[in-house]
Structure formats: C-alpha cells, structure tokens
Amino acid sequence: MSITLLPQCGELPLSAPSPVAMPLSLPHAATRVHAVERPDGVETGVWECSPGRWRRQIMQAEFCHFIQGCCRFIPDDGEAIDIRAGDALFFPANSAGVWEVTETVRKSYVLWPD
C-alpha cells in the first residue's frame, strides 16, 4: 500500500466543473475534483462545489473535512446539519439526503467500500 499526499488542499488544482447529477435548484451547482483511487476501492481527494441544491449521490461511507465555504446537509431521516470551514463529518454508507450549498465549499474526503 502506498501513502497518498494531497498537498495544500485549499490550493490544489481541480478538474473542470461538472454539473451535479440530481439538481434541485437553479442555477445548477457544479463540482470540481482531484481524486486518487486505489486498487482496494478506497478513494481520497479534494472536492469543491458551487452554490446550489441537489440530492446526495455518494452511497459509500465517507469521512470529509471542510476547508472553505458553508453549506447544509439535510438527511432523509434526520435534522439539518449546518457545516462551515473547519468542520468534519462522517457519513455512514447509504446516507441519503439533500445538499444546500450557500457559499462555494471545498473539502478533503475519503470514501471506502463496504
């Protein structure tokens, strides 16, 4: 197994913007990413999203640390969670809900299979 370094996550160059898959608002939010996928199915990277509202598509377990911006996650089975730069979250596998980004967010993350 090799060690993965994501240097200066707040400044790391990311991909070209792509629209979110299930938008719930206009304008459509767009994401940018720098991802590293390992042969064992673990993915780590930096993800950024512009303001908007959409359904969460990632169903793997995820740990993430927010580097900039602010947003809200509304779980299908719980209360809204307000998130801002400096916060960290853990999503168990199959966590469903709605993202509401009010200020462009950037986070580092780790996804892993069940």
Side-chain angles (χ1 to χ4, degrees):
M1 178 179 350
S2 62
I3 296 172
T4 302
L5 173 66
L6 299 170
Q8 300 299 312
C9 291
E11 301 168 15
L12 190 66
L14 305 177
S15 66
S18 295
V20 295
M22 295 185 69
L24 300 172
S25 69
L26 289 173
H28 296 299
T31 64
R32 301 183 328 134
V33 68
H34 173 91
V36 178
E37 297 180 43
R38 297 187 341 190
D40 62 2
V42 173
E43 178 183 323
T44 188
V46 175
W47 178 88
E48 183 177 278
C49 186
S50 63
R53 190 170 187 265
W54 75 98
R55 290 223 33 100
R56 183 173 194 260
Q57 297 297 297
I58 303 298
M59 291 295 111
Q60 299 106 312
E62 177 185 8
F63 173 81
C64 53
H65 177 255
F66 286 79
I67 301 162
Q68 69 183 42
C70 59
C71 61
R72 171 180 277 191
F73 182 73
I74 306 163
D76 287 347
D77 61 355
E79 294 184 31
I81 302 165
D82 290 318
I83 305 158
R84 60 188 169 108
D87 292 344
L89 288 170
F90 173 74
F91 290 97
N94 301 309
S95 295
V98 172
W99 280 107
E100 294 179 348
V101 174
T102 54
E103 178 185 310
T104 298
V105 293
R106 184 178 275 225
K107 68 179 182 179
S108 58
Y109 68 91
V110 178
L111 301 170
W112 56 94
D114 291 334

